[in-house]
Amino acid sequence: MRKPFIAGNWKMYKTVPEAVRLVKQLRVMLDDMEDVEVAVCPPFTALHAVGEALKGSGIKLGAQDVYWENEGAYTSQIAPPMLADLGVDYVIIGHSERRQYFGETDVTVNKKVKAALAHNLGVIVCVGETLEQRQAGETEDVVRIQVEQGLVGIEAPLEKLVIAYEPVWAIGTGHNATADDAETVISLIRRTLGVMFGRDQADATRIQYGGSVKPNNIQEFMARETIDGALVGGASLDASSFAQIVKYK
Ligand code: PGA
């Protein structure tokens, strides 16, 4: 059984006091959640404070990126041991905004995934097609290649790996994918994992949907057996909307 997993990606929002306030509100609403795994991914500057505010809570802490070297002269970058030291549970890797604006490629995604896993961090690897690619009928090829190249050389078991299928055209636009579309691509991702790592590993790996997930559409996605949770952007910045998403049942 794959435990549903709902993560909030706060992107470049929230100062430290704002982040702590949000997480305190979330603890009141979500600390008793048992059947859904929950994580929040604040910006790096708030990771420590949010980690402290989460002590004793079941809510997990996530970061939004990581570099692949352990240390060195890499101005601005954050190393896996630094995240591990803060008690970070998950790191988002390969988000489409990183691919679009910061030159992230499947090659750098792969290096980051390997480095994070080597430090026992959970990873949420994001894949998804652009609108142009979807309109050109390239969705399945694009996503399959992102999975194959992003995960090449990773060794099973995949228990620390989560994949988020996030169609770029659905992110921050209010135009979510339909549950049918999400299910089709998520099934393709699972088949690709099966070819790479074997059926059992593929069946055990959680795959989230992301892109304009809101309290009023989460149920459609979670009703599908193939969809194991959500990566939530905008709607995770407000405690009550994120709590409603987590309590979708
Ligand atoms: P959104 O973002 O929920 O604001 O569309 C999702 C994401 O980028 O992970």
Side-chain angles (χ1 to χ4, degrees), residues 6-192:
I6 298 188
N9 172 12
W10 294 359
K11 307 194 181 183
M12 198 176 73
Y13 292 95
K14 307 290 179 191
T15 61
V16 172
E18 288 167 349
V20 169
R21 199 176 317 131
L22 174 55
V23 93
K24 284 185 174 159
Q25 292 170 335
L26 288 174
R27 285 197 64 165
V28 173
M29 299 173 186
L30 296 176
D31 258 3
D32 58 346
M33 291 301 293
E34 278 175 4
D35 44 359
V36 178
E37 188 176 353
V38 184
V40 292
C41 308
F44 286 125
T45 45
L47 273 177
H48 180 259
V50 169
E52 291 294 311
L54 283 176
K55 286 221 166 105
S57 150
I59 301 173
K60 306 276 176 67
L61 182 64
Q64 298 175 19
D65 190 23
V66 67
Y67 195 58
W68 56 82
E69 296 288 350
N70 281 346
E71 60 179 11
Y74 302 102
T75 299
S76 88
Q77 298 299 292
I78 305 291
M82 298 172 179
L83 296 182
D85 176 52
L86 285 179
V88 164
D89 302 291
Y90 286 99
V91 55
I92 299 171
I93 296 177
H95 190 280
S96 70
E97 286 148 17
R98 298 249 5 122
R99 295 178 190 258
Q100 256 180 302
Y101 307 134
F102 303 104
E104 191 86 79
T105 65
D106 293 330
V107 172
T108 57
V109 167
N110 184 245
K111 288 183 178 192
K112 291 177 176 187
V113 171
K114 286 177 175 163
L117 292 175
H119 288 84
N120 216 23
L121 294 163
V123 296
I124 302 173
V125 180
C126 302
V127 297
E129 80 288 359
T130 64
L131 185 59
E132 295 70 42
Q133 289 164 335
R134 173 159 285 260
Q135 286 170 342
E138 295 167 1
T139 299
E140 302 214 344
D141 281 345
V142 166
V143 172
R144 184 177 43 75
I145 289 168
Q146 287 174 339
V147 173
E148 287 171 353
Q149 298 190 351
L151 302 183
V152 65
I154 308 290
E155 284 179 25
L158 305 180
E159 61 207 337
K160 290 269 173 184
L161 174 79
V162 176
I163 296 187
Y165 168 55
E166 298 207 303
V168 179
W169 47 270
I171 295 177
T173 59
H175 300 294
N176 57 281
T178 63
D180 279 346
D181 284 341
E183 189 167 47
T184 302
V185 181
I186 286 175
S187 300
L188 163 92
I189 293 170
R190 207 177 297 289
R191 284 199 300 280
T192 306

Side-chain angles (χ1 to χ4, degrees), residues 1-4 203-204 206 225:
M1 265 302 276
R2 301 185 298 262
K3 186 172 184 175
D203 283 346
R206 291 179 297 180
E225 206 268 320

